[in-house]
């Protein structure tokens, strides 16, 4: 059974920081990559960051909107993915999800809410 459990969201003021965590199981965590995605109210889900988790893939990619503010990392031994978010802005308010990157089988967890107040 595929499980993706996100945690670490919350309410923070603009300029603050949060660290999201994701525990993954039930699929090939190290097949290629893992990513963080987000969906804001009334908007489509978008990719935020992606990291290579395969022994042969070493990369990180970021959406332009979060570059230089967010950092994705992974712990393959624990099947964990993290997203360090600094200098948060009200525009970062969304539900954040972790999932394989890419995600051809459409695996999704419940997500964690991040709310940034101005």
């Amino acid at each position: 059974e595929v499980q993706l459990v996100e945690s670490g969201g919350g309410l923070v003021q603009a300029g603050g920081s949060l660290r999201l965590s994701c525990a993954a199981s039930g699929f090939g965590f190290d097949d290629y990559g893992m990513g963080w995605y987000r969906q804001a109210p009334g908007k489509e889900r978008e990719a935020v960051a992606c990291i290579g988790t395969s022994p042969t893939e070493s990369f990180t990619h970021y959406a332009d909107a979060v570059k230089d503010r967010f950092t994705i990392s992974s712990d393959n031994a624990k099947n964990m993915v993290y997203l360090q978010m600094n200098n948060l802005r009200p525009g970062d308010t969304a539900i954040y999800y972790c999932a394989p990157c890419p995600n051809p089988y459409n695996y999704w967890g419940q997500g964690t809410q991040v709310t940034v107040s101005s």
Side-chain angles (χ1 to χ4, degrees):
E1 178 190 3
V2 172
Q3 286 196 324
L4 293 158
V5 181
E6 302 92 344
S7 61
L11 173 64
V12 64
Q13 288 189 329
S17 298
L18 285 173
R19 186 182 190 230
L20 306 183
S21 299
C22 170
S25 63
F27 64 95
F29 183 88
D30 56 357
D31 278 355
Y32 183 73
M34 288 291 296
W36 284 95
Y37 304 75
R38 68 185 181 186
Q39 186 166 20
K43 295 187 177 181
E44 292 189 355
R45 187 151 38 196
E46 62 177 354
V48 172
C50 184
I51 185 168
T53 52
S54 161
T56 59
E57 298 290 341
S58 177
F59 66 84
T60 54
H61 296 311
Y62 296 93
D64 288 343
V66 306
K67 210 171 286 185
D68 299 325
R69 298 189 298 122
F70 291 10
T71 303
I72 188 171
S73 61
S74 67
D75 184 336
N76 282 27
K78 297 180 180 179
N79 280 17
M80 295 287 295
V81 187
Y82 307 96
L83 187 68
Q84 178 66 43
M85 305 187 295
N86 298 329
N87 192 19
L88 283 160
R89 304 167 179 169
D92 296 318
T93 295
I95 299 175
Y96 284 71
Y97 304 87
C98 76
C101 177
N103 192 13
Y105 301 108
N106 228 24
Y107 296 150
W108 299 106
Q110 294 299 307
T112 185
Q113 175 72 47
V114 171
T115 303
V116 185
S117 63
S118 57

